[in-house]
Amino acid sequence: TARNYLKAIAAFVLWSSSLLGAGLAVHYLSYAELIAEYVDFCFRTRSVTKNEVQYLLCGLALLRPDLKRAGAFDIGWSMIKGWSRVEPSESYKPVQWELLMAFVSVLMETGHVLSAYALLVGFHCYLRHSDLRGLRVSDVALPGDPRIMVQDGCAILFLRDLYTKAGRNQHVTVDM
């Protein structure tokens, strides 16, 4: 992580140095304005990814906590939120399907059928291991369950927020 922070900071310094060389850096009155301009530049040119900009803000906050306390990164974080709305991140499966099927086969052959099922459900629904371990029978709604309005031949897993009492419930549809 530290390496990613330093790489992102180096890219920011290089970019801001180019502004200084062009005589443009004097127009920025604060770090907040300079960071906001950099985030905007990264978004428009796609020369730096959103994750790299997040590394920059985290790295700067680590190196300069005084700037964090002064709110110098607030506008940058708000801009990254907007970037996320325009360009949502993609979820990736943690392993390839073929590797998962190898795990499932071994579990089935060794008699760990429930673990194999859990692995398949977790993979299909992008569940974290804590979500999977926290599932209860009452969280599963099969077709015909009165708790669900639409009956389309799917099972539904109701995922409770396992870390806090607040927060909205989530659900995942499992095609049968």
Side-chain angles (χ1 to χ4, degrees):
T1 303
R3 188 175 300 145
N4 290 331
Y5 289 172
L6 292 175
K7 184 179 169 189
I9 291 170
F12 174 69
V13 168
L14 184 66
W15 174 83
S16 55
S17 297
S18 71
L19 289 182
L20 187 60
L24 299 173
V26 294
H27 297 292
Y28 298 101
L29 303 175
S30 68
Y31 281 110
E33 291 175 331
L34 189 61
I35 289 167
E37 187 65 32
Y38 181 68
V39 175
D40 182 59
F41 168 79
C42 295
F43 175 74
R44 284 183 290 108
T45 63
R46 299 299 198 268
S47 58
V48 175
T49 67
K50 180 175 54 173
N51 284 344
E52 291 169 322
V53 176
Q54 290 172 326
Y55 288 141
L56 167 70
L57 294 179
C58 291
L60 287 175
L62 187 65
L63 293 174
R64 295 289 309 269
D66 57 316
L67 291 176
K68 182 179 178 182
R69 282 190 298 275
F73 309 128
D74 295 348
I75 295 171
W77 282 116
S78 294
M79 292 174 77
I80 289 173
K81 270 188 197 173
W83 189 342
S84 296
R85 281 188 212 108
V86 172
E87 191 178 279
S89 60
E90 291 183 37
S91 296
Y92 293 97
K93 301 288 186 178
V95 296
Q96 294 178 340
W97 176 253
E98 295 79 12
L99 186 56
L100 173 77
M101 293 313 298
F103 292 152
V104 168
S105 296
V106 169
L107 287 169
M108 295 289 274
E109 287 174 10
T110 57
H112 295 76
V113 177
L114 294 178
S115 295
Y117 289 156
L119 207 55
L120 286 169
V121 168
F123 181 85
H124 177 73
C125 301
Y126 294 95
L127 297 179
R128 296 183 300 251
H129 63 87
S130 58
D131 294 335
L132 195 55
R133 284 192 329 248
L135 281 178
R136 299 180 187 149
V137 172
S138 62
D139 296 331
V140 179
L142 296 172
D145 192 309
R147 293 178 290 171
I148 53 177
M149 302 285 284
V150 179
Q151 301 293 327
D152 60 359
C154 295
I156 295 181
L157 299 178
F158 295 100
L159 305 177
R160 289 166 278 102
D161 190 348
L162 303 174
Y163 299 107
T164 64
K165 300 285 184 200
R168 60 183 175 84
N169 289 330
Q170 299 176 352
H171 71 277
V172 179
T173 302
V174 182
D175 296 326
M176 298 182 64

